[in-house]
Coordinates of all heavy atoms in Angstrom, one line a residue:
M19 N -7.7 0.1 0.3 CA -6.4 0.4 -0.1 C -5.5 0.9 1.0 O -4.5 0.7 1.2 CB -6.4 1.5 -1.3 CG -6.9 0.9 -2.6 SD -6.9 2.1 -4.0 CE -8.1 3.2 -3.6
K20 N -6.3 1.7 2.0 CA -5.6 2.2 3.1 C -5.1 1.0 3.9 O -4.1 1.2 4.6 CB -6.5 3.2 3.9 CG -6.5 4.6 3.3 CD -7.2 5.5 4.3 CE -7.2 6.9 3.7 NZ -7.9 7.8 4.7
K21 N -6.1 0.1 4.1 CA -5.9 -1.0 5.0 C -4.5 -1.7 4.6 O -3.7 -2.3 5.4 CB -6.9 -2.0 5.0 CG -6.8 -3.3 5.9 CD -8.1 -4.0 5.7 CE -7.8 -5.5 6.5 NZ -8.9 -6.3 6.4
H22 N -4.4 -1.9 3.3 CA -3.2 -2.5 2.7 C -1.9 -1.6 2.4 O -0.9 -2.0 1.9 CB -3.6 -3.4 1.6 CG -4.5 -4.5 1.9 ND1 -4.2 -5.6 2.6 CD2 -5.9 -4.5 1.6 CE1 -5.2 -6.4 2.8 NE2 -6.2 -5.6 2.0
K23 N -2.1 -0.3 2.7 CA -1.1 0.7 2.6 C -0.7 0.8 1.0 O 0.6 0.9 0.8 CB 0.0 0.4 3.4 CG -0.3 0.6 4.8 CD 0.8 0.4 5.9 CE 0.5 0.4 7.2 NZ 1.5 0.1 8.1
V24 N -1.6 0.8 0.1 CA -1.3 0.8 -1.3 C -1.4 2.4 -1.6 O -2.2 3.2 -1.3 CB -2.4 0.1 -2.2 CG1 -2.3 0.4 -3.5 CG2 -2.5 -1.3 -1.8
K25 N -0.3 2.7 -2.4 CA -0.2 4.2 -2.9 C -0.7 4.2 -4.3 O -0.5 3.4 -5.0 CB 1.2 4.6 -3.0 CG 1.5 5.9 -3.4 CD 1.1 6.9 -2.2 CE 1.5 8.2 -2.7 NZ 1.2 9.2 -1.7
V26 N -1.7 5.2 -4.5 CA -2.4 5.4 -5.8 C -1.7 6.4 -6.6 O -1.6 7.5 -6.1 CB -3.9 5.6 -5.6 CG1 -4.6 5.9 -6.9 CG2 -4.6 4.6 -4.7
L27 N -1.3 6.0 -7.8 CA -0.7 6.9 -8.7 C -1.6 7.2 -9.9 O -1.9 6.2 -10.6 CB 0.7 6.5 -9.2 CG 1.7 6.2 -8.0 CD1 3.1 5.8 -8.7 CD2 2.0 7.5 -7.3
D28 N -1.9 8.4 -10.2 CA -2.6 8.8 -11.5 C -1.5 9.4 -12.4 O -0.8 10.3 -12.1 CB -3.5 9.9 -11.1 CG -4.4 10.5 -12.3 OD1 -3.9 10.5 -13.4 OD2 -5.5 10.8 -11.9
V29 N -1.3 8.7 -13.5 CA -0.2 8.9 -14.5 C -0.8 9.9 -15.6 O -0.1 9.8 -16.8 CB 0.5 7.7 -15.0 CG1 1.2 7.0 -13.8 CG2 -0.4 6.6 -15.7
R30 N -1.9 10.4 -15.5 CA -2.5 11.2 -16.6 C -1.8 12.6 -16.4 O -1.0 12.9 -15.5 CB -4.0 11.5 -16.4 CG -4.7 10.2 -16.5 CD -6.2 10.3 -16.2 NE -6.4 10.7 -14.9 CZ -7.5 11.4 -14.5 NH1 -8.5 11.6 -15.4 NH2 -7.7 11.8 -13.3
T31 N -2.2 13.6 -17.2 CA -1.7 14.9 -17.3 C -2.2 15.6 -16.0 O -3.2 15.3 -15.5 CB -2.0 15.8 -18.5 OG1 -3.4 16.0 -18.5 CG2 -1.6 15.1 -19.7
P32 N -1.5 16.8 -15.6 CA -2.0 17.5 -14.5 C -3.4 18.0 -14.7 O -4.2 18.1 -13.9 CB -1.0 18.7 -14.3 CG 0.3 18.0 -14.8 CD -0.2 17.2 -15.8
E33 N -3.7 18.5 -16.0 CA -4.9 19.0 -16.3 C -6.2 17.9 -16.1 O -7.2 18.2 -15.6 CB -5.1 19.5 -17.7 CG -4.1 20.7 -18.1 CD -2.7 20.3 -18.1 OE1 -2.4 19.2 -18.4 OE2 -1.9 21.2 -18.0
E34 N -5.9 16.6 -16.6 CA -6.7 15.6 -16.3 C -6.9 15.3 -14.9 O -8.1 15.0 -14.5 CB -6.2 14.3 -17.1 CG -6.3 14.3 -18.6 CD -5.6 13.1 -19.3 OE1 -4.4 13.0 -19.1 OE2 -6.2 12.4 -19.9
F35 N -5.9 15.3 -14.2 CA -5.8 14.9 -12.8 C -6.8 16.0 -12.0 O -7.5 15.7 -11.2 CB -4.5 15.0 -12.2 CG -4.4 14.7 -10.7 CD1 -4.4 13.5 -10.3 CD2 -4.2 15.8 -9.9 CE1 -4.2 13.2 -8.8 CE2 -4.1 15.5 -8.4 CZ -4.2 14.3 -7.9
N36 N -6.5 17.3 -12.4 CA -7.3 18.4 -11.7 C -8.8 18.4 -12.1 O -9.7 18.7 -11.3 CB -6.7 19.8 -12.0 CG -5.5 20.0 -11.5 OD1 -5.1 19.5 -10.5 ND2 -4.5 20.9 -12.0
A37 N -9.2 17.8 -13.1 CA -10.5 17.6 -13.5 C -11.3 16.5 -12.7 O -12.4 16.5 -12.7 CB -10.7 17.3 -15.1
G38 N -10.5 15.7 -12.1 CA -11.1 14.5 -11.3 C -10.1 13.5 -11.2 O -9.5 13.1 -12.1
H39 N -10.0 13.0 -9.9 CA -9.1 11.8 -9.7 C -9.6 10.9 -8.5 O -10.3 11.4 -7.7 CB -7.7 12.3 -9.5 CG -7.5 13.3 -8.3 ND1 -7.8 14.6 -8.5 CD2 -7.3 13.1 -7.0 CE1 -7.6 15.3 -7.3 NE2 -7.3 14.4 -6.4
V40 N -8.9 9.8 -8.4 CA -9.2 9.0 -7.1 C -8.7 9.7 -5.9 O -7.6 10.2 -5.8 CB -8.6 7.6 -7.3 CG1 -8.7 6.7 -5.9 CG2 -9.2 6.8 -8.4
R41 N -9.6 9.6 -4.9 CA -9.2 10.3 -3.7 C -7.8 9.8 -3.1 O -7.6 8.6 -3.0 CB -10.3 10.1 -2.5 CG -10.0 10.9 -1.3 CD -11.1 10.8 -0.2 NE -12.4 11.2 -0.9 CZ -13.5 10.7 -0.4 NH1 -13.6 9.9 0.6 NH2 -14.6 11.3 -0.9
G42 N -7.0 10.7 -2.8 CA -5.7 10.4 -2.2 C -4.6 10.1 -3.2 O -3.4 9.6 -2.9
A43 N -4.9 10.1 -4.5 CA -4.0 9.7 -5.6 C -3.0 10.7 -5.7 O -3.2 12.0 -5.4 CB -4.7 9.4 -7.0
Q44 N -1.7 10.4 -6.1 CA -0.6 11.3 -6.4 C -0.5 11.3 -7.9 O -0.6 10.3 -8.6 CB 0.7 10.8 -5.9 CG 1.9 11.6 -6.1 CD 3.2 10.9 -5.6 OE1 3.1 9.9 -4.8 NE2 4.3 11.5 -5.9
N45 N -0.3 12.5 -8.5 CA -0.2 12.7 -9.9 C 1.3 12.6 -10.3 O 2.1 13.5 -9.9 CB -0.8 14.0 -10.3 CG -0.9 14.2 -11.8 OD1 -0.6 15.3 -12.3 ND2 -1.2 13.3 -12.5
L46 N 1.6 11.7 -11.2 CA 2.9 11.6 -11.9 C 2.6 11.5 -13.3 O 2.4 10.3 -13.8 CB 3.7 10.4 -11.2 CG 4.3 10.5 -9.9 CD1 5.0 9.2 -9.6 CD2 5.1 11.6 -9.7
D47 N 2.8 12.4 -14.1 CA 2.5 12.4 -15.5 C 3.6 11.5 -16.1 O 4.7 11.9 -16.4 CB 2.5 13.8 -16.0 CG 2.0 13.9 -17.5 OD1 1.9 13.0 -18.1 OD2 2.0 15.0 -18.0
V48 N 3.1 10.4 -16.8 CA 3.9 9.5 -17.4 C 4.6 10.1 -18.7 O 5.7 9.7 -19.2 CB 3.2 8.1 -17.8 CG1 2.2 8.3 -18.9 CG2 4.2 7.1 -18.2
K49 N 3.9 11.1 -19.3 CA 4.6 11.8 -20.5 C 5.5 12.8 -20.2 O 6.1 13.5 -21.1 CB 3.4 12.3 -21.3 CG 2.4 11.4 -22.0 CD 1.4 11.9 -22.8 CE 0.6 10.8 -23.5 NZ -0.4 11.5 -24.4
S50 N 5.6 13.2 -18.9 CA 6.6 14.3 -18.4 C 8.0 13.8 -18.5 O 8.3 12.7 -18.3 CB 6.3 14.6 -17.0 OG 7.3 15.4 -16.4
P51 N 8.8 14.7 -19.0 CA 10.4 14.3 -19.1 C 10.9 13.9 -17.6 O 11.9 13.3 -17.5 CB 11.0 15.6 -19.7 CG 10.1 16.4 -19.9 CD 8.7 16.0 -19.5
E52 N 10.3 14.4 -16.6 CA 10.7 14.1 -15.2 C 10.2 12.8 -14.7 O 10.5 12.4 -13.5 CB 10.3 15.3 -14.3 CG 10.9 16.5 -14.5 CD 10.3 17.5 -15.6 OE1 9.0 17.4 -15.8 OE2 11.0 18.2 -16.3
F53 N 9.2 12.0 -15.4 CA 8.6 10.9 -14.9 C 9.6 9.9 -14.3 O 9.6 9.4 -13.2 CB 7.8 10.2 -15.9 CG 7.1 9.1 -15.4 CD1 6.0 9.2 -14.6 CD2 7.4 7.7 -15.9 CE1 5.3 8.1 -14.1 CE2 6.7 6.7 -15.3 CZ 5.8 6.9 -14.3
V54 N 10.7 9.5 -15.1 CA 11.8 8.5 -14.7 C 12.5 9.1 -13.4 O 12.6 8.3 -12.5 CB 12.7 8.3 -15.7 CG1 13.8 7.2 -15.2 CG2 11.9 7.5 -16.9
S55 N 12.9 10.3 -13.4 CA 13.5 10.8 -12.2 C 12.6 10.8 -11.0 O 13.0 10.7 -9.8 CB 14.1 12.2 -12.4 OG 13.0 13.1 -12.6
Q56 N 11.4 11.0 -11.1 CA 10.3 11.0 -10.0 C 10.2 9.5 -9.5 O 10.0 9.3 -8.4 CB 9.0 11.5 -10.5 CG 9.0 13.0 -10.8 CD 7.6 13.4 -11.4 OE1 7.0 12.7 -12.2 NE2 7.3 14.8 -11.1
L57 N 10.4 8.6 -10.4 CA 10.3 7.2 -10.0 C 11.4 6.8 -9.0 O 11.2 6.0 -8.0 CB 10.3 6.3 -11.2 CG 9.2 6.2 -12.1 CD1 9.6 5.2 -13.3 CD2 7.9 5.9 -11.4
A58 N 12.7 7.5 -9.1 CA 13.7 7.2 -8.2 C 13.5 7.6 -6.7 O 14.0 7.2 -5.8 CB 14.9 7.8 -8.7
Q59 N 12.4 8.4 -6.6 CA 12.0 9.0 -5.2 C 11.0 8.2 -4.6 O 10.7 8.3 -3.4 CB 11.5 10.3 -5.4 CG 12.5 11.3 -5.9 CD 12.0 12.7 -6.2 OE1 11.1 13.2 -5.6 NE2 12.7 13.5 -7.1
L60 N 10.5 7.2 -5.3 CA 9.4 6.3 -4.8 C 10.0 5.2 -4.0 O 11.1 4.7 -4.2 CB 8.6 5.7 -5.9 CG 7.8 6.7 -6.7 CD1 7.0 6.2 -7.8 CD2 6.8 7.4 -5.8
D61 N 9.3 4.7 -3.0 CA 9.7 3.6 -2.1 C 9.7 2.3 -2.8 O 8.5 1.9 -3.2 CB 8.9 3.6 -0.8 CG 9.2 2.5 0.2 OD1 10.1 1.7 -0.1 OD2 8.5 2.5 1.2
T62 N 10.7 1.5 -3.0 CA 10.6 0.3 -3.7 C 10.0 -0.8 -3.1 O 9.5 -1.9 -3.6 CB 12.1 -0.2 -4.2 OG1 12.9 -0.4 -2.9 CG2 12.8 0.7 -5.0
A63 N 9.7 -0.6 -1.8 CA 8.9 -1.7 -1.0 C 7.5 -1.4 -0.9 O 6.6 -2.4 -0.5 CB 9.6 -1.7 0.6
Q64 N 6.9 -0.2 -1.3 CA 5.5 0.2 -1.4 C 4.9 -0.5 -2.6 O 5.4 -0.8 -3.6 CB 5.5 1.6 -1.6 CG 4.2 2.2 -1.7 CD 3.5 2.2 -0.5 OE1 4.0 2.8 0.6 NE2 2.3 1.6 -0.4
T65 N 3.5 -0.9 -2.4 CA 2.8 -1.3 -3.4 C 2.1 -0.1 -4.0 O 1.5 0.7 -3.4 CB 1.7 -2.2 -3.0 OG1 2.4 -3.4 -2.3 CG2 0.8 -2.8 -4.1
Y66 N 2.0 -0.1 -5.4 CA 1.5 1.1 -6.1 C 0.4 0.5 -7.1 O 0.5 -0.5 -7.7 CB 2.6 1.7 -6.9 CG 3.7 2.4 -6.2 CD1 4.8 1.7 -5.8 CD2 3.5 3.6 -5.6 CE1 5.8 2.3 -5.1 CE2 4.4 4.3 -4.9 CZ 5.6 3.5 -4.6 OH 6.6 4.2 -3.7
L67 N -0.8 1.2 -6.9 CA -1.9 1.1 -8.0 C -1.9 2.2 -8.9 O -1.8 3.3 -8.5 CB -3.2 1.1 -7.1 CG -4.4 0.7 -7.9 CD1 -5.0 -0.6 -7.4 CD2 -5.5 1.7 -7.8
V68 N -1.7 1.9 -10.2 CA -1.5 2.9 -11.2 C -2.8 2.9 -12.2 O -3.2 1.9 -12.6 CB -0.2 2.6 -12.0 CG1 0.0 3.7 -13.0 CG2 1.0 2.4 -11.1
Y69 N -3.3 4.1 -12.4 CA -4.3 4.3 -13.4 C -4.2 5.5 -14.4 O -3.4 6.4 -14.0 CB -5.7 4.4 -12.7 CG -6.0 5.6 -12.0 CD1 -6.6 6.7 -12.7 CD2 -5.6 5.8 -10.7 CE1 -6.7 7.9 -12.1 CE2 -5.9 7.0 -10.0 CZ -6.4 8.1 -10.7 OH -6.6 9.3 -10.1
C70 N -4.9 5.4 -15.4 CA -4.9 6.8 -16.4 C -6.3 6.7 -17.0 O -7.2 6.4 -16.3 CB -3.8 6.4 -17.5 SG -4.2 5.0 -18.6
A71 N -6.4 7.4 -18.1 CA -7.7 7.5 -18.7 C -8.2 6.3 -19.3 O -9.4 5.9 -19.2 CB -7.7 8.7 -19.7
S72 N -7.5 5.5 -20.0 CA -7.9 4.3 -20.8 C -7.2 3.0 -20.4 O -7.7 2.0 -20.7 CB -7.7 4.6 -22.2 OG -6.4 4.6 -22.6
G73 N -6.1 3.1 -19.8 CA -5.3 1.9 -19.5 C -4.1 1.8 -20.2 O -3.2 1.1 -19.9
N74 N -3.9 2.6 -21.4 CA -2.8 2.5 -22.1 C -1.5 3.2 -21.4 O -0.4 2.5 -21.4 CB -2.9 3.4 -23.4 CG -1.9 3.1 -24.4 OD1 -1.2 2.1 -24.4 ND2 -1.5 4.2 -25.1
R75 N -1.8 4.4 -20.9 CA -0.5 5.1 -20.3 C -0.2 4.4 -19.0 O 0.9 4.2 -18.6 CB -0.9 6.6 -19.9 CG -0.7 7.5 -21.1 CD -1.2 8.8 -20.8 NE -2.6 8.8 -20.8 CZ -3.4 10.0 -20.5 NH1 -2.6 11.1 -20.2 NH2 -4.6 10.0 -20.4
S76 N -1.2 3.8 -18.2 CA -0.8 3.2 -16.9 C -0.1 1.8 -17.2 O 0.8 1.4 -16.5 CB -2.1 2.9 -16.1 OG -3.1 2.0 -16.8
S77 N -0.5 1.2 -18.4 CA 0.3 0.0 -18.7 C 1.7 0.3 -19.0 O 2.7 -0.3 -18.6 CB -0.4 -0.6 -20.0 OG 0.5 -1.7 -20.5
K78 N 2.0 1.5 -19.8 CA 3.5 1.9 -20.1 C 4.0 2.3 -18.7 O 5.3 2.1 -18.6 CB 3.4 3.1 -21.1 CG 3.0 2.7 -22.4 CD 2.9 3.8 -23.3 CE 2.3 3.5 -24.7 NZ 2.2 4.6 -25.5
A79 N 3.4 3.0 -18.0 CA 4.0 3.5 -16.5 C 4.4 2.2 -15.9 O 5.4 2.4 -15.2 CB 3.0 4.4 -15.9
S80 N 3.5 1.2 -15.8 CA 3.8 0.1 -14.9 C 5.0 -0.6 -15.4 O 5.9 -1.0 -14.6 CB 2.5 -0.9 -15.0 OG 1.4 -0.3 -14.4
I81 N 5.2 -0.7 -16.6 CA 6.4 -1.3 -17.2 C 7.6 -0.5 -16.8 O 8.6 -1.0 -16.4 CB 6.3 -1.4 -18.8 CG1 5.3 -2.5 -19.1 CG2 7.6 -1.9 -19.4 CD1 4.8 -2.5 -20.6
L82 N 7.6 0.8 -17.1 CA 8.7 1.7 -16.7 C 9.1 1.6 -15.1 O 10.2 1.5 -14.7 CB 8.4 3.2 -16.9 CG 8.7 3.5 -18.4 CD1 8.0 4.8 -18.6 CD2 10.0 3.5 -18.7
M83 N 7.9 1.6 -14.2 CA 8.2 1.4 -12.8 C 8.9 0.2 -12.5 O 9.9 0.2 -11.7 CB 6.8 1.6 -12.2 CG 6.2 2.8 -12.2 SD 4.5 2.9 -11.6 CE 4.9 2.8 -9.8
R84 N 8.5 -0.9 -13.1 CA 9.2 -2.3 -12.8 C 10.7 -2.2 -13.3 O 11.5 -2.8 -12.7 CB 8.3 -3.4 -13.5 CG 7.1 -3.6 -12.8 CD 6.3 -5.0 -13.3 NE 5.1 -5.1 -12.8 CZ 3.9 -4.7 -13.4 NH1 4.0 -4.2 -14.7 NH2 2.7 -4.8 -12.9
E85 N 10.9 -1.6 -14.5 CA 12.2 -1.4 -15.0 C 13.1 -0.8 -14.1 O 14.2 -0.8 -14.1 CB 12.1 -0.9 -16.5 CG 11.7 -1.7 -17.4 CD 11.6 -1.2 -18.9 OE1 11.6 0.1 -19.0 OE2 11.2 -1.8 -19.7
H86 N 12.5 0.2 -13.3 CA 13.3 1.0 -12.3 C 13.2 0.6 -10.8 O 13.3 1.3 -10.0 CB 12.8 2.5 -12.4 CG 13.4 3.1 -13.8 ND1 12.7 3.0 -15.0 CD2 14.5 3.8 -14.0 CE1 13.4 3.5 -15.9 NE2 14.5 4.1 -15.4
G87 N 13.0 -0.8 -10.8 CA 13.0 -1.4 -9.4 C 11.8 -1.3 -8.6 O 11.8 -1.8 -7.3
L88 N 10.6 -1.0 -9.0 CA 9.5 -0.9 -8.3 C 8.7 -2.3 -8.6 O 8.2 -2.4 -9.7 CB 8.5 0.3 -8.5 CG 9.3 1.6 -8.2 CD1 8.7 2.8 -8.9 CD2 9.1 1.8 -6.8
R89 N 8.8 -3.2 -7.7 CA 8.3 -4.6 -8.0 C 6.8 -4.8 -7.7 O 6.2 -5.6 -8.3 CB 9.2 -5.4 -7.2 CG 10.6 -5.5 -7.6 CD 10.8 -6.2 -9.0 NE 12.1 -5.8 -9.4 CZ 12.4 -5.4 -10.6 NH1 11.6 -5.2 -11.5 NH2 13.7 -5.1 -10.9
H90 N 6.3 -3.9 -6.9 CA 4.8 -4.2 -6.5 C 3.9 -3.1 -7.2 O 3.5 -2.1 -6.5 CB 4.7 -4.1 -5.0 CG 5.7 -4.9 -4.2 ND1 5.6 -6.3 -4.2 CD2 6.9 -4.7 -3.6 CE1 6.6 -6.8 -3.5 NE2 7.3 -5.8 -3.0
V91 N 3.7 -3.3 -8.4 CA 2.9 -2.4 -9.3 C 1.7 -3.1 -9.8 O 1.8 -4.3 -10.4 CB 3.7 -1.8 -10.4 CG1 3.0 -0.9 -11.2 CG2 5.1 -1.2 -9.8
V92 N 0.5 -2.5 -9.7 CA -0.8 -3.0 -10.1 C -1.3 -2.0 -11.1 O -1.4 -0.8 -10.7 CB -1.7 -3.4 -9.0 CG1 -3.1 -3.8 -9.5 CG2 -1.2 -4.3 -7.9
N93 N -1.5 -2.4 -12.3 CA -2.1 -1.5 -13.2 C -3.7 -1.7 -13.2 O -4.2 -2.7 -13.5 CB -1.8 -2.0 -14.8 CG -2.4 -1.1 -15.8 OD1 -3.0 -0.2 -15.6 ND2 -2.2 -1.5 -17.1
A94 N -4.3 -0.5 -12.6 CA -5.7 -0.5 -12.4 C -6.5 -0.1 -13.6 O -7.7 -0.2 -13.7 CB -5.9 0.3 -11.2
G95 N -5.9 0.3 -14.6 CA -6.5 0.6 -16.0 C -7.0 2.0 -16.0 O -6.4 3.0 -15.7
A96 N -8.2 2.1 -16.3 CA -8.9 3.4 -16.6 C -9.7 4.0 -15.6 O -10.4 3.4 -14.8 CB -9.9 3.1 -17.8
Y97 N -9.5 5.3 -15.4 CA -10.2 6.1 -14.4 C -11.7 6.0 -14.4 O -12.3 5.7 -13.4 CB -9.8 7.6 -14.5 CG -10.4 8.4 -13.5 CD1 -10.2 8.3 -12.1 CD2 -11.3 9.5 -14.1 CE1 -10.9 9.2 -11.3 CE2 -11.9 10.4 -13.1 CZ -11.6 10.3 -11.9 OH -12.5 11.1 -10.9
P98 N -12.3 6.1 -15.6 CA -13.9 5.9 -15.7 C -14.3 4.6 -15.1 O -15.3 4.6 -14.5 CB -14.1 6.1 -17.2 CG -13.1 6.9 -17.7 CD -11.8 6.4 -16.9
K99 N -13.7 3.5 -15.4 CA -13.9 2.2 -14.8 C -13.8 2.1 -13.2 O -14.6 1.5 -12.6 CB -13.2 1.1 -15.5 CG -13.6 1.1 -17.0 CD -13.1 -0.2 -17.5 CE -13.4 -0.2 -19.0 NZ -14.3 -1.3 -19.5
L100 N -12.8 2.8 -12.8 CA -12.5 2.9 -11.4 C -13.8 3.6 -10.7 O -14.3 3.2 -9.6 CB -11.3 3.4 -10.9 CG -10.1 2.8 -11.4 CD1 -8.8 3.7 -11.1 CD2 -9.9 1.6 -10.4
K101 N -14.3 4.7 -11.4 CA -15.3 5.4 -10.8 C -16.7 4.5 -10.8 O -17.3 4.5 -9.7 CB -15.6 6.6 -11.6 CG -14.7 7.8 -11.3 CD -14.8 9.1 -12.2 CE -16.3 9.6 -12.2 NZ -16.3 10.8 -12.9
E102 N -16.8 3.8 -11.9 CA -18.0 2.9 -12.0 C -17.9 1.9 -11.0 O -19.0 1.5 -10.6 CB -18.0 2.3 -13.4 CG -18.4 3.1 -14.6 CD -18.3 2.4 -15.8 OE1 -18.4 1.1 -15.9 OE2 -18.2 3.1 -17.0
A103 N -16.7 1.4 -10.6 CA -16.7 0.4 -9.6 C -16.8 0.9 -8.2 O -16.7 0.1 -7.2 CB -15.2 -0.3 -9.8
G104 N -16.9 2.2 -8.1 CA -17.1 2.8 -6.7 C -16.0 3.4 -6.0 O -16.0 3.7 -4.9
A105 N -14.8 3.6 -6.8 CA -13.7 4.3 -6.2 C -14.0 5.7 -5.8 O -14.8 6.3 -6.6 CB -12.6 4.4 -7.1
K106 N -13.8 6.1 -4.6 CA -14.0 7.4 -4.1 C -13.2 8.4 -4.9 O -11.9 8.2 -5.2 CB -13.6 7.6 -2.7 CG -14.6 6.7 -1.9 CD -14.4 7.0 -0.3 CE -15.2 6.0 0.5 NZ -16.6 5.9 0.4
T107 N -13.8 9.4 -5.4 CA -13.0 10.4 -6.3 C -13.2 11.9 -5.7 O -14.1 12.2 -4.8 CB -13.6 10.4 -7.7 OG1 -15.0 10.9 -7.5 CG2 -13.4 9.1 -8.3
E108 N -12.3 12.8 -6.1 CA -12.4 14.1 -5.8 C -12.1 15.0 -7.0 O -11.6 14.5 -8.0 CB -11.4 14.5 -4.6 CG -10.2 13.7 -4.5 CD -9.4 14.1 -3.3 OE1 -9.8 14.0 -2.2 OE2 -8.3 14.6 -3.4

């Protein structure tokens, strides 16, 4: 991910994020009222890898991101599956 300069976004709650997340991920809670305004601060040229607990919220977040001009969005699905696949976590 570093090689390709992919930004990792964890769209779970801050509590879920603090319990464990992919190393280097930024937390943007998709359920937060500020989520859409936070999207406006993201670089539209950047590629984003988005995940949550089950894949449901990351799917919704990915759609919202595309609707707000972020074209390079990859829904990585569920955090537990990323861990199983060997993603480094903290």
Side-chain angles (χ1 to χ4, degrees):
M19 290 186 290
K20 278 187 178 180
K21 180 180 176 183
H22 298 288
K23 298 181 181 175
V24 173
K25 182 74 174 174
V26 181
L27 298 179
D28 182 324
V29 296
R30 301 175 299 159
T31 66
E33 295 78 19
E34 289 172 300
F35 180 82
N36 290 334
H39 56 272
V40 171
R41 186 178 300 159
Q44 178 182 351
N45 184 224
L46 291 180
D47 182 0
V48 71
K49 291 185 176 182
S50 167
E52 290 85 32
F53 183 74
V54 171
S55 64
Q56 290 172 329
L57 294 180
Q59 298 173 20
L60 298 177
D61 181 357
T62 57
Q64 177 72 52
T65 298
Y66 295 96
L67 184 114
V68 184
Y69 73 90
C70 65
S72 68
N74 186 39
R75 287 177 283 178
S76 61
S77 178
K78 290 176 184 176
S80 296
I81 291 167
L82 282 170
M83 291 172 75
R84 288 185 191 100
E85 287 174 353
H86 286 86
L88 299 157
R89 298 290 170 224
H90 308 286
V91 180
V92 177
N93 180 3
Y97 175 66
K99 293 197 185 239
L100 290 172
K101 280 178 58 173
E102 283 177 24
K106 296 186 189 300
T107 61
E108 26 184 68

